């Protein structure tokens, strides 16, 4: 199949076209006519099929040569599937068991056959339903610390690190999407932007006229484009995590690129904060107070676990180019290494807040919105949930250098949330 010209799969053609792929026949059953195939992709870019048969199931994910959300008018290279494949292999090595297992990769057809995660659901959907997953804070904190530390100059040897930097530098178009959609488009009337209107018009105009905000957003963009510190997931939001009560898996790293340490964590926390502000829009089945408290607790846990694990790795695996132990521990100066770590964590904290702020803005003002807000049908109610998220986002971007801790942010979040209620 890989020699053939690229052709998108359909529910009807998948069985016959992949009938000779051993990774599938071995797992699903030899007779492709007996496979059941469903297309379940609800993301912005790709086709995703669940293929099941007598022996089991698998996921077939195929890139399309355009942005699915927009259509063929926005071409997008198939090679994003190559970057996703390579990112998944690295994440699997750096945090074993946290990403789906890959069974097969076909570069020409831009498709990855991987583990069918069941009965997992998308974390974002679970949070909208009000589910409180007990493991995500710990699992996601560990995933972030391990992948970010182990993909960086703190851990990798120079040749492998330089090679990966060059490899992922080829993910130009997806990087370009992030650069525009996250850091620039929300701050002017870009063509594909949309927001809840007219309810948010006044606030949107204020944000787009806010010089301090626009300057800081571009400082953050400069960091994103120039600080190639580690291999990022690149799109680590709650739609990129699949969960059960016992398991969490991170999926979809097609936006992987070398970038700043703080980017993934910032995106992740932003999505929990947006989930927090969206709760009022999902209170039809009773109060969501406990859910709100849970979401802020998850943020605290992710950040705590991230710091603890990053610190553990710093102390036990710091064998890369940076901050060599020859300068510190080997000289009887472990405090020197600790000082360097503290500086680095302080930098990550500050930048993480900024990235979280722009992520909150782009999901409310830009092209790609979040289901937790989008599923609130009443536009007045939706706007009353989005407004405090926009305000907190602005605070994080502009004041990130002066914010001491999560307690301070959560006090502001609670107050903004109260003020937004009619
Ligand atoms: C055009 S793609 C829009 C967004 O969808 C993806 O999930 C990324 O978040 C991207 O920014
Ligand atoms: Mg995705």
């Amino acid at each position: 199949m890989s020699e053939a010209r690229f052709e998108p799969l359909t529910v009807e053609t998948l069985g016959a076209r992949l009938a000779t792929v051993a990774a599938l026949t071995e797992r699903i059953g030899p007779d492709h006519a007996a496979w059941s195939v469903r297309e379940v992709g609800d993301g912005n870019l790709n086709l995703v099929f669940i293929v099941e048969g007598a022996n089991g199931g698998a996921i077939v994910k195929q890139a399309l040569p355009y942005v699915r959300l927009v259509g063929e008018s926005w071409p997008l290279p198939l090679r994003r599937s190559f970057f996703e494949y390579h990112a998944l292999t690295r994440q699997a090595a750096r945090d074993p068991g946290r990403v789906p297992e890959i069974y097969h990769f076909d570069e020409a057809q831009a498709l990855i056959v991987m583990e069918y995660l069941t009965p997992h659901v998308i974390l974002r959907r679970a949070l909208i339903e009000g589910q409180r997953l007990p493991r995500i804070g710990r699992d996601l904190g560990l995933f972030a610390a391990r992948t970010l530390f182990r993909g960086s100059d703190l851990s990798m040897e120079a040749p492998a690190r330089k090679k990966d930097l060059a490899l992922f530098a080829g993910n130009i178009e997806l990087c370009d999407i992030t650069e525009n959609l996250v850091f620039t488009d929300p701050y002017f009337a870009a063509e594909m932007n949309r927001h809840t209107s007219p309810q948010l018009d006044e606030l949107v105009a204020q944000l787009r006229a806010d010089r301090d905000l626009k300057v800081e957003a571009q400082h953050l963009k400069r960091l994103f484009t120039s600080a190639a510190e580690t291999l990022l997931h690149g799109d680590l939001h709650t739609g990129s995590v699949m969960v059960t009560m016992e398991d969490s898996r991170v999926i979809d790293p097609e936006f992987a690129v070398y970038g700043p340490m703080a980017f993934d964590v910032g995106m992740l926390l932003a999505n929990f904060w947006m989930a927090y502000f969206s709760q009022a829009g999902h209170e039809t089945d009773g109060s969501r107070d406990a859910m709100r408290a849970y979401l802020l607790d998850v943020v605290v846990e992710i950040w705590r676990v991230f710091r603890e694990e990053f610190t553990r790795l710093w102390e036990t695996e710091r064998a890369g180019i940076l901050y060599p132990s020859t300068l510190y521990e080997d000289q009887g100066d472990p405090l020197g290494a600790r000082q360097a770590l503290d500086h680095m964590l302080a930098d990550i904290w500050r930048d993480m807040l900024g990235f979280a702020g722009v992520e909150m803005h782009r999901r409310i003002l830009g092209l790609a919105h979040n289901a937790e807000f989008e599923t609130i049908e009443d536009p007045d109610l939706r706007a009353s949930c989005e407004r405090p998220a926009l305000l907190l986002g602005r605070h994080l971007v502009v004041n990130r250098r002066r914010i001491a801790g999560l307690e301070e942010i959560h006090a502001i979040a609670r107050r903004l949330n109260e003020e937004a209620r009619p």
Side-chain angles (χ1 to χ4, degrees), residues 94-131:
R94 289 169 188 160
D95 190 14
R98 197 56 62 216
V99 298
E101 190 184 337
I102 297 180
Y103 302 144
H104 175 75
F105 173 54
D106 182 332
E107 191 174 343
Q109 295 303 321
L111 70 82
I112 304 173
V113 181
M114 64 184 115
E115 185 180 357
Y116 174 32
L117 299 172
T118 180
H120 298 63
V121 294
I122 294 285
L123 173 57
R124 193 187 298 288
R125 298 278 163 198
L127 298 180
I128 290 171
E129 284 176 14
Q131 289 185 39

Side-chain angles (χ1 to χ4, degrees), residues 43-46 61 84 233 235 237 239-240 251-255:
N44 295 331
L45 301 179
N46 308 297
K61 178 173 178 181
E84 174 163 358
H233 176 285
D235 199 23
H237 53 76
S240 297
I251 61 171
D252 276 4
E254 65 204 313
F255 284 80

Side-chain angles (χ1 to χ4, degrees), residues 198-212:
Q199 289 84 350
L200 293 180
D201 287 356
E202 202 179 315
L203 176 55
V204 174
Q206 276 169 25
L207 293 172
R208 289 186 179 149
D210 186 330
R211 183 179 294 156
D212 294 337

Side-chain angles (χ1 to χ4, degrees), residues 45 74 76-77 79-80 83 168-184 221 223-226 228 232-235 253-260 263 267 362:
L45 301 179
W74 187 345
L76 200 61
R79 65 173 177 270
R80 63 185 185 272
F83 296 112
F168 286 97
N171 202 4
I172 299 162
E173 293 79 5
L174 274 81
C175 212
D176 183 65
I177 288 179
T178 302
E179 286 156 11
N180 291 318
L181 262 54
V182 175
F183 296 100
T184 298
K221 184 175 184 178
L223 197 59
F224 181 79
T225 59
S226 59
L232 303 176
H233 176 285
D235 199 23
E254 65 204 313
F255 284 80
V257 70
Y258 266 80
F263 184 77
M267 278 216 156
R362 73 97 168 212

Side-chain angles (χ1 to χ4, degrees), residues 362-399:
R362 73 97 168 212
R363 293 291 185 188
I364 298 169
L365 307 179
L367 165 73
H369 286 223
N370 272 359
E372 52 263 59
F373 292 132
E374 292 300 285
T375 50
I376 304 170
E377 276 175 28
D378 174 355
D380 290 329
L381 182 57
R382 184 167 67 246
S384 75
C385 295
E386 292 172 323
R387 186 186 310 279
L390 289 173
L391 293 172
L392 182 66
R394 194 252 174 215
H395 176 67
L396 296 178
V397 172
V398 173
N399 297 318

Side-chain angles (χ1 to χ4, degrees), residues 110-247:
L111 70 82
I112 304 173
V113 181
M114 64 184 115
E115 185 180 357
Y116 174 32
L117 299 172
T118 180
H120 298 63
V121 294
I122 294 285
L123 173 57
R124 193 187 298 288
R125 298 278 163 198
L127 298 180
I128 290 171
E129 284 176 14
Q131 289 185 39
R132 284 176 258 158
L133 291 310
R135 292 192 50 133
I136 50 173
R138 180 169 171 73
D139 289 347
L140 295 175
L142 289 177
F143 176 82
R146 290 173 181 171
T147 56
L148 298 173
F149 186 95
R150 290 175 172 154
S152 78
D153 280 326
L154 296 170
S155 163
M156 292 178 79
E157 290 184 358
R161 161 70 161 84
K162 263 48 176 189
K163 222 169 134 192
D164 263 13
L165 180 67
L167 182 110
F168 286 97
N171 202 4
I172 299 162
E173 293 79 5
L174 274 81
C175 212
D176 183 65
I177 288 179
T178 302
E179 286 156 11
N180 291 318
L181 262 54
V182 175
F183 296 100
T184 298
D185 289 5
Y187 303 107
F188 79 107
E191 200 185 328
M192 286 183 290
N193 283 353
R194 64 191 170 83
H195 64 262
T196 304
S197 178
Q199 289 84 350
L200 293 180
D201 287 356
E202 202 179 315
L203 176 55
V204 174
Q206 276 169 25
L207 293 172
R208 289 186 179 149
D210 186 330
R211 183 179 294 156
D212 294 337
L213 175 61
K214 289 193 292 182
V215 168
E216 291 301 335
Q218 290 303 298
H219 286 329
L220 289 160
K221 184 175 184 178
R222 176 161 55 95
L223 197 59
F224 181 79
T225 59
S226 59
E229 287 187 301
T230 188
L231 181 62
L232 303 176
H233 176 285
D235 199 23
L236 191 55
H237 53 76
T238 50
S240 297
V241 182
M242 296 196 70
V243 290
T244 64
M245 286 293 169
E246 295 82 34
D247 189 29

Side-chain angles (χ1 to χ4, degrees), residues 328-343:
Y328 307 110
E329 289 89 344
D330 297 357
Q331 307 293 333
D333 182 25
L335 287 182
R338 184 68 211 199
Q339 181 174 322
L341 169 66
D342 288 345
H343 289 172

